[in-house]
mmCIF file of all heavy atoms in Angstrom:
data_model
loop_
_atom_site.group_PDB
_atom_site.id
_atom_site.type_symbol
_atom_site.label_atom_id
_atom_site.label_comp_id
_atom_site.label_asym_id
_atom_site.label_seq_id
_atom_site.Cartn_x
_atom_site.Cartn_y
_atom_site.Cartn_z
ATOM 1 N N PRO A 63 185.340 61.768 40.625
ATOM 2 C CA PRO A 63 184.648 60.463 40.562
ATOM 3 C C PRO A 63 184.559 59.910 39.113
ATOM 4 O O PRO A 63 184.734 58.651 38.919
ATOM 5 C CB PRO A 63 183.333 60.787 41.092
ATOM 6 C CG PRO A 63 183.548 61.879 42.151
ATOM 7 C CD PRO A 63 184.606 62.695 41.487
ATOM 8 N N VAL A 64 184.235 60.733 38.105
ATOM 9 C CA VAL A 64 184.168 60.211 36.763
ATOM 10 C C VAL A 64 185.367 59.522 36.238
ATOM 11 O O VAL A 64 185.290 58.591 35.394
ATOM 12 C CB VAL A 64 183.621 61.343 35.851
ATOM 13 C CG1 VAL A 64 184.761 62.361 35.570
ATOM 14 C CG2 VAL A 64 183.133 60.767 34.455
ATOM 15 N N ALA A 65 186.527 59.922 36.720
ATOM 16 C CA ALA A 65 187.823 59.364 36.328
ATOM 17 C C ALA A 65 188.310 58.118 37.073
ATOM 18 O O ALA A 65 189.215 57.523 36.750
ATOM 19 C CB ALA A 65 188.868 60.535 36.370
ATOM 20 N N HIS A 66 187.505 57.797 38.189
ATOM 21 C CA HIS A 66 188.065 56.697 39.119
ATOM 22 C C HIS A 66 188.151 55.430 38.372
ATOM 23 O O HIS A 66 189.193 54.723 38.537
ATOM 24 C CB HIS A 66 187.068 56.594 40.240
ATOM 25 C CG HIS A 66 187.322 57.705 41.298
ATOM 26 N ND1 HIS A 66 186.426 57.841 42.422
ATOM 27 C CD2 HIS A 66 188.205 58.731 41.409
ATOM 28 C CE1 HIS A 66 186.875 58.891 43.145
ATOM 29 N NE2 HIS A 66 187.884 59.372 42.538
ATOM 30 N N PRO A 67 187.196 54.991 37.561
ATOM 31 C CA PRO A 67 187.381 53.726 36.905
ATOM 32 C C PRO A 67 188.666 53.598 36.028
ATOM 33 O O PRO A 67 189.402 52.640 36.059
ATOM 34 C CB PRO A 67 185.989 53.584 36.108
ATOM 35 C CG PRO A 67 184.999 54.341 36.822
ATOM 36 C CD PRO A 67 185.850 55.584 37.388
ATOM 37 N N LYS A 68 188.764 54.676 35.167
ATOM 38 C CA LYS A 68 189.941 54.596 34.235
ATOM 39 C C LYS A 68 191.215 54.575 35.066
ATOM 40 O O LYS A 68 192.115 53.811 34.660
ATOM 41 C CB LYS A 68 189.887 55.868 33.358
ATOM 42 C CG LYS A 68 190.968 55.938 32.323
ATOM 43 C CD LYS A 68 190.827 57.076 31.349
ATOM 44 C CE LYS A 68 191.895 57.120 30.275
ATOM 45 N NZ LYS A 68 193.213 57.196 30.825
ATOM 46 N N VAL A 69 191.426 55.502 36.052
ATOM 47 C CA VAL A 69 192.670 55.657 36.720
ATOM 48 C C VAL A 69 192.972 54.471 37.541
ATOM 49 O O VAL A 69 194.047 53.841 37.537
ATOM 50 C CB VAL A 69 192.673 56.900 37.593
ATOM 51 C CG1 VAL A 69 193.904 56.947 38.556
ATOM 52 C CG2 VAL A 69 192.632 58.193 36.647
ATOM 53 N N SER A 70 191.999 54.010 38.327
ATOM 54 C CA SER A 70 192.254 52.875 39.239
ATOM 55 C C SER A 70 192.418 51.529 38.472
ATOM 56 O O SER A 70 193.365 50.736 38.792
ATOM 57 C CB SER A 70 191.011 52.695 40.230
ATOM 58 O OG SER A 70 190.933 53.777 41.085
ATOM 59 N N ILE A 71 191.706 51.356 37.323
ATOM 60 C CA ILE A 71 191.856 50.121 36.493
ATOM 61 C C ILE A 71 193.216 50.140 35.853
ATOM 62 O O ILE A 71 193.914 49.121 35.785
ATOM 63 C CB ILE A 71 190.748 49.963 35.585
ATOM 64 C CG1 ILE A 71 189.449 49.606 36.251
ATOM 65 C CG2 ILE A 71 191.125 48.873 34.515
ATOM 66 C CD1 ILE A 71 188.216 49.536 35.303
ATOM 67 N N ASP A 72 193.739 51.204 35.402
ATOM 68 C CA ASP A 72 195.021 51.428 34.876
ATOM 69 C C ASP A 72 196.094 50.973 35.822
ATOM 70 O O ASP A 72 197.013 50.214 35.548
ATOM 71 C CB ASP A 72 195.212 52.817 34.351
ATOM 72 C CG ASP A 72 196.634 53.057 33.587
ATOM 73 O OD1 ASP A 72 197.172 52.084 33.213
ATOM 74 O OD2 ASP A 72 197.109 54.205 33.832
ATOM 75 N N ALA A 73 195.925 51.568 37.100
ATOM 76 C CA ALA A 73 196.960 51.227 38.156
ATOM 77 C C ALA A 73 196.934 49.740 38.545
ATOM 78 O O ALA A 73 197.943 49.066 38.622
ATOM 79 C CB ALA A 73 196.645 52.055 39.417
ATOM 80 N N LEU A 74 195.742 49.148 38.562
ATOM 81 C CA LEU A 74 195.591 47.752 38.930
ATOM 82 C C LEU A 74 196.309 46.862 37.940
ATOM 83 O O LEU A 74 196.980 45.927 38.253
ATOM 84 C CB LEU A 74 194.145 47.358 39.125
ATOM 85 C CG LEU A 74 193.396 47.964 40.303
ATOM 86 C CD1 LEU A 74 191.897 47.712 40.241
ATOM 87 C CD2 LEU A 74 193.943 47.369 41.637
ATOM 88 N N ARG A 75 196.128 47.242 36.631
ATOM 89 C CA ARG A 75 196.683 46.367 35.570
ATOM 90 C C ARG A 75 198.192 46.579 35.484
ATOM 91 O O ARG A 75 198.819 45.655 34.900
ATOM 92 C CB ARG A 75 196.032 46.748 34.272
ATOM 93 C CG ARG A 75 194.639 46.321 34.205
ATOM 94 C CD ARG A 75 194.078 46.505 32.828
ATOM 95 N NE ARG A 75 193.093 45.386 32.485
ATOM 96 C CZ ARG A 75 192.275 45.475 31.475
ATOM 97 N NH1 ARG A 75 192.277 46.514 30.703
ATOM 98 N NH2 ARG A 75 191.520 44.488 31.163
ATOM 99 N N ARG A 76 198.711 47.566 36.077
ATOM 100 C CA ARG A 76 200.189 47.717 36.165
ATOM 101 C C ARG A 76 200.749 47.041 37.486
ATOM 102 O O ARG A 76 201.956 47.265 37.805
ATOM 103 C CB ARG A 76 200.568 49.178 36.146
ATOM 104 C CG ARG A 76 200.121 49.851 34.925
ATOM 105 C CD ARG A 76 200.455 51.449 34.936
ATOM 106 N NE ARG A 76 200.053 52.032 33.720
ATOM 107 C CZ ARG A 76 200.708 52.147 32.546
ATOM 108 N NH1 ARG A 76 201.933 51.484 32.494
ATOM 109 N NH2 ARG A 76 200.289 52.771 31.469
ATOM 110 N N GLY A 77 199.898 46.273 38.136
ATOM 111 C CA GLY A 77 200.281 45.515 39.311
ATOM 112 C C GLY A 77 200.406 46.322 40.544
ATOM 113 O O GLY A 77 201.045 45.892 41.523
ATOM 114 N N LEU A 78 199.690 47.472 40.679
ATOM 115 C CA LEU A 78 199.791 48.345 41.763
ATOM 116 C C LEU A 78 198.423 48.301 42.636
ATOM 117 O O LEU A 78 197.347 48.575 42.028
ATOM 118 C CB LEU A 78 200.059 49.828 41.404
ATOM 119 C CG LEU A 78 201.338 50.066 40.571
ATOM 120 C CD1 LEU A 78 201.354 51.465 40.059
ATOM 121 C CD2 LEU A 78 202.549 49.691 41.530
ATOM 122 N N PRO A 79 198.544 48.087 43.923
ATOM 123 C CA PRO A 79 197.282 48.197 44.647
ATOM 124 C C PRO A 79 196.838 49.712 44.816
ATOM 125 O O PRO A 79 197.636 50.545 44.619
ATOM 126 C CB PRO A 79 197.774 47.734 46.146
ATOM 127 C CG PRO A 79 199.266 47.868 46.098
ATOM 128 C CD PRO A 79 199.661 47.675 44.681
ATOM 129 N N VAL A 80 195.532 49.870 44.884
ATOM 130 C CA VAL A 80 194.958 51.253 44.751
ATOM 131 C C VAL A 80 194.091 51.528 46.039
ATOM 132 O O VAL A 80 193.265 50.776 46.476
ATOM 133 C CB VAL A 80 194.132 51.397 43.590
ATOM 134 C CG1 VAL A 80 193.531 52.800 43.483
ATOM 135 C CG2 VAL A 80 195.061 51.106 42.311
ATOM 136 N N LEU A 81 194.294 52.774 46.474
ATOM 137 C CA LEU A 81 193.439 53.376 47.539
ATOM 138 C C LEU A 81 192.633 54.481 46.785
ATOM 139 O O LEU A 81 193.350 55.490 46.353
ATOM 140 C CB LEU A 81 194.140 53.867 48.725
ATOM 141 C CG LEU A 81 193.368 54.635 49.714
ATOM 142 C CD1 LEU A 81 192.213 53.786 50.325
ATOM 143 C CD2 LEU A 81 194.168 55.147 50.984
ATOM 144 N N CYS A 82 191.281 54.383 46.636
ATOM 145 C CA CYS A 82 190.572 55.219 45.808
ATOM 146 C C CYS A 82 189.707 56.074 46.724
ATOM 147 O O CYS A 82 189.060 55.585 47.553
ATOM 148 C CB CYS A 82 189.781 54.511 44.757
ATOM 149 S SG CYS A 82 188.723 55.469 43.694
ATOM 150 N N GLU A 83 189.744 57.369 46.431
ATOM 151 C CA GLU A 83 188.808 58.293 47.123
ATOM 152 C C GLU A 83 187.396 57.873 46.813
ATOM 153 O O GLU A 83 187.016 57.319 45.779
ATOM 154 C CB GLU A 83 189.016 59.790 46.682
ATOM 155 C CG GLU A 83 189.716 60.653 47.747
ATOM 156 C CD GLU A 83 188.872 60.803 49.027
ATOM 157 O OE1 GLU A 83 187.740 60.536 49.183
ATOM 158 O OE2 GLU A 83 189.596 61.123 49.969
ATOM 159 N N LYS A 84 186.478 58.159 47.802
ATOM 160 C CA LYS A 84 185.079 57.916 47.632
ATOM 161 C C LYS A 84 184.454 58.978 46.764
ATOM 162 O O LYS A 84 185.078 60.107 46.626
ATOM 163 C CB LYS A 84 184.345 57.845 48.947
ATOM 164 C CG LYS A 84 184.043 59.245 49.579
ATOM 165 C CD LYS A 84 182.792 59.899 49.155
ATOM 166 C CE LYS A 84 182.777 61.369 49.440
ATOM 167 N NZ LYS A 84 181.594 62.086 48.759
ATOM 168 N N PRO A 85 183.331 58.733 45.942
ATOM 169 C CA PRO A 85 182.792 57.380 45.780
ATOM 170 C C PRO A 85 183.701 56.513 44.836
ATOM 171 O O PRO A 85 184.316 57.093 43.978
ATOM 172 C CB PRO A 85 181.418 57.704 45.122
ATOM 173 C CG PRO A 85 181.607 58.958 44.321
ATOM 174 C CD PRO A 85 182.661 59.754 45.147
ATOM 175 N N LEU A 86 183.520 55.247 44.948
ATOM 176 C CA LEU A 86 184.324 54.361 44.159
ATOM 177 C C LEU A 86 184.132 54.688 42.624
ATOM 178 O O LEU A 86 185.051 54.802 41.807
ATOM 179 C CB LEU A 86 183.893 52.909 44.383
ATOM 180 C CG LEU A 86 184.540 51.818 43.474
ATOM 181 C CD1 LEU A 86 186.046 51.831 43.768
ATOM 182 C CD2 LEU A 86 183.908 50.443 43.838
ATOM 183 N N ALA A 87 182.825 54.948 42.222
ATOM 184 C CA ALA A 87 182.494 55.328 40.816
ATOM 185 C C ALA A 87 181.209 55.996 40.885
ATOM 186 O O ALA A 87 180.501 56.057 41.938
ATOM 187 C CB ALA A 87 182.549 54.191 39.886
ATOM 188 N N GLU A 88 180.714 56.549 39.796
ATOM 189 C CA GLU A 88 179.464 57.222 39.719
ATOM 190 C C GLU A 88 178.302 56.239 39.618
ATOM 191 O O GLU A 88 177.103 56.708 39.969
ATOM 192 C CB GLU A 88 179.421 58.199 38.575
ATOM 193 C CG GLU A 88 180.347 59.383 38.679
ATOM 194 C CD GLU A 88 180.123 60.447 37.629
ATOM 195 O OE1 GLU A 88 180.094 60.072 36.407
ATOM 196 O OE2 GLU A 88 180.082 61.671 37.954
ATOM 197 N N THR A 89 178.516 55.113 39.179
ATOM 198 C CA THR A 89 177.324 54.121 39.009
ATOM 199 C C THR A 89 177.773 52.707 39.572
ATOM 200 O O THR A 89 178.991 52.469 39.577
ATOM 201 C CB THR A 89 176.973 53.950 37.537
ATOM 202 O OG1 THR A 89 178.085 53.303 36.814
ATOM 203 C CG2 THR A 89 176.643 55.225 36.900
ATOM 204 N N VAL A 90 176.744 51.941 39.942
ATOM 205 C CA VAL A 90 177.114 50.567 40.417
ATOM 206 C C VAL A 90 177.697 49.698 39.215
ATOM 207 O O VAL A 90 178.585 48.930 39.405
ATOM 208 C CB VAL A 90 175.782 49.908 40.963
ATOM 209 C CG1 VAL A 90 176.114 48.523 41.271
ATOM 210 C CG2 VAL A 90 175.284 50.665 42.131
ATOM 211 N N ARG A 91 177.235 50.018 38.033
ATOM 212 C CA ARG A 91 177.755 49.330 36.832
ATOM 213 C C ARG A 91 179.245 49.457 36.730
ATOM 214 O O ARG A 91 180.015 48.506 36.596
ATOM 215 C CB ARG A 91 177.106 49.845 35.606
ATOM 216 C CG ARG A 91 177.719 49.243 34.356
ATOM 217 C CD ARG A 91 177.023 49.872 33.011
ATOM 218 N NE ARG A 91 177.384 51.280 32.982
ATOM 219 C CZ ARG A 91 178.441 51.842 32.620
ATOM 220 N NH1 ARG A 91 179.520 51.156 32.302
ATOM 221 N NH2 ARG A 91 178.563 53.174 32.601
ATOM 222 N N GLU A 92 179.789 50.704 36.878
ATOM 223 C CA GLU A 92 181.158 50.926 36.771
ATOM 224 C C GLU A 92 181.909 50.336 38.035
ATOM 225 O O GLU A 92 183.049 49.825 37.873
ATOM 226 C CB GLU A 92 181.418 52.477 36.839
ATOM 227 C CG GLU A 92 180.986 53.190 35.594
ATOM 228 C CD GLU A 92 181.011 54.728 35.602
ATOM 229 O OE1 GLU A 92 180.376 55.275 36.585
ATOM 230 O OE2 GLU A 92 181.599 55.308 34.802
ATOM 231 N N CYS A 93 181.256 50.340 39.155
ATOM 232 C CA CYS A 93 181.951 49.708 40.343
ATOM 233 C C CYS A 93 182.064 48.182 40.149
ATOM 234 O O CYS A 93 183.133 47.718 40.448
ATOM 235 C CB CYS A 93 180.966 49.822 41.583
ATOM 236 S SG CYS A 93 180.876 51.572 42.127
ATOM 237 N N LEU A 94 181.235 47.600 39.424
ATOM 238 C CA LEU A 94 181.341 46.095 39.266
ATOM 239 C C LEU A 94 182.458 45.916 38.310
ATOM 240 O O LEU A 94 183.222 44.802 38.447
ATOM 241 C CB LEU A 94 180.042 45.504 38.675
ATOM 242 C CG LEU A 94 178.829 45.560 39.632
ATOM 243 C CD1 LEU A 94 177.565 45.061 38.975
ATOM 244 C CD2 LEU A 94 179.103 44.805 40.956
ATOM 245 N N THR A 95 182.693 46.776 37.289
ATOM 246 C CA THR A 95 183.812 46.604 36.403
ATOM 247 C C THR A 95 185.134 46.765 37.173
ATOM 248 O O THR A 95 186.100 46.068 36.906
ATOM 249 C CB THR A 95 183.796 47.691 35.291
ATOM 250 O OG1 THR A 95 182.484 47.592 34.613
ATOM 251 C CG2 THR A 95 184.919 47.587 34.270
ATOM 252 N N MET A 96 185.135 47.625 38.224
ATOM 253 C CA MET A 96 186.373 47.844 38.952
ATOM 254 C C MET A 96 186.576 46.603 39.879
ATOM 255 O O MET A 96 187.702 46.282 40.116
ATOM 256 C CB MET A 96 186.185 49.097 39.802
ATOM 257 C CG MET A 96 186.187 50.368 38.899
ATOM 258 S SD MET A 96 185.797 51.808 39.807
ATOM 259 C CE MET A 96 187.320 52.225 40.540
ATOM 260 N N VAL A 97 185.576 46.001 40.288
ATOM 261 C CA VAL A 97 185.653 44.717 41.069
ATOM 262 C C VAL A 97 186.281 43.755 40.206
ATOM 263 O O VAL A 97 187.229 42.939 40.644
ATOM 264 C CB VAL A 97 184.258 44.245 41.625
ATOM 265 C CG1 VAL A 97 184.437 42.844 42.179
ATOM 266 C CG2 VAL A 97 183.685 45.228 42.603
ATOM 267 N N ALA A 98 185.851 43.583 38.960
ATOM 268 C CA ALA A 98 186.411 42.662 38.072
ATOM 269 C C ALA A 98 187.815 42.838 37.809
ATOM 270 O O ALA A 98 188.677 42.087 37.667
ATOM 271 C CB ALA A 98 185.568 42.635 36.735
ATOM 272 N N ALA A 99 188.246 44.165 37.636
ATOM 273 C CA ALA A 99 189.608 44.583 37.405
ATOM 274 C C ALA A 99 190.483 44.092 38.587
ATOM 275 O O ALA A 99 191.631 43.717 38.442
ATOM 276 C CB ALA A 99 189.701 46.039 37.115
ATOM 277 N N ALA A 100 190.019 44.341 39.851
ATOM 278 C CA ALA A 100 190.788 43.939 40.963
ATOM 279 C C ALA A 100 190.958 42.420 40.997
ATOM 280 O O ALA A 100 192.112 41.903 41.338
ATOM 281 C CB ALA A 100 189.947 44.387 42.315
ATOM 282 N N GLU A 101 189.918 41.724 40.597
ATOM 283 C CA GLU A 101 190.140 40.207 40.588
ATOM 284 C C GLU A 101 191.107 39.721 39.427
ATOM 285 O O GLU A 101 191.859 38.878 39.687
ATOM 286 C CB GLU A 101 188.748 39.531 40.272
ATOM 287 C CG GLU A 101 187.764 39.735 41.476
ATOM 288 C CD GLU A 101 186.542 39.033 41.368
ATOM 289 O OE1 GLU A 101 186.276 38.318 40.303
ATOM 290 O OE2 GLU A 101 185.589 39.129 42.248
ATOM 291 N N VAL A 102 190.996 40.382 38.286
ATOM 292 C CA VAL A 102 191.913 40.040 37.211
ATOM 293 C C VAL A 102 193.357 40.273 37.600
ATOM 294 O O VAL A 102 194.305 39.521 37.314
ATOM 295 C CB VAL A 102 191.531 40.833 35.907
ATOM 296 C CG1 VAL A 102 192.663 40.683 34.846
ATOM 297 C CG2 VAL A 102 190.224 40.349 35.404
ATOM 298 N N SER A 103 193.603 41.451 38.207
ATOM 299 C CA SER A 103 194.956 41.897 38.536
ATOM 300 C C SER A 103 195.451 41.148 39.803
ATOM 301 O O SER A 103 196.767 41.016 40.001
ATOM 302 C CB SER A 103 194.975 43.424 38.836
ATOM 303 O OG SER A 103 194.259 43.697 39.888
ATOM 304 N N GLY A 104 194.629 40.700 40.671
ATOM 305 C CA GLY A 104 195.045 40.110 41.902
ATOM 306 C C GLY A 104 195.536 41.240 42.849
ATOM 307 O O GLY A 104 196.236 40.852 43.915
ATOM 308 N N GLN A 105 195.195 42.453 42.620
ATOM 309 C CA GLN A 105 195.643 43.513 43.508
ATOM 310 C C GLN A 105 194.539 44.115 44.344
ATOM 311 O O GLN A 105 193.323 44.027 44.045
ATOM 312 C CB GLN A 105 196.252 44.666 42.627
ATOM 313 C CG GLN A 105 197.424 44.329 41.916
ATOM 314 C CD GLN A 105 198.594 43.884 42.726
ATOM 315 O OE1 GLN A 105 198.797 44.445 43.826
ATOM 316 N NE2 GLN A 105 199.425 42.991 42.285
#
């Protein structure tokens, strides 16, 4: 889980959709950053 934000955001920025194991991240703060990354990438 601690690596989910880094790995998933990296993949999104490379134009790849991501299926991430639960939990999305360890904190809600990190989750919101991942939401923003999905919006920026459009993935």
Side-chain angles (χ1 to χ4, degrees):
V64 69
H66 286 174
K68 181 178 184 298
V69 171
S70 289
I71 290 175
D72 181 28
L74 292 168
R75 286 188 147 168
R76 295 178 185 277
L78 300 172
V80 177
L81 176 57
C82 181
E83 253 298 342
K84 76 85 194 168
L86 177 61
E88 292 189 314
T89 66
V90 177
R91 173 186 61 80
E92 292 170 305
C93 291
L94 295 178
T95 303
M96 296 170 78
V97 171
E101 293 185 359
V102 168
S103 68
Q105 297 296 327

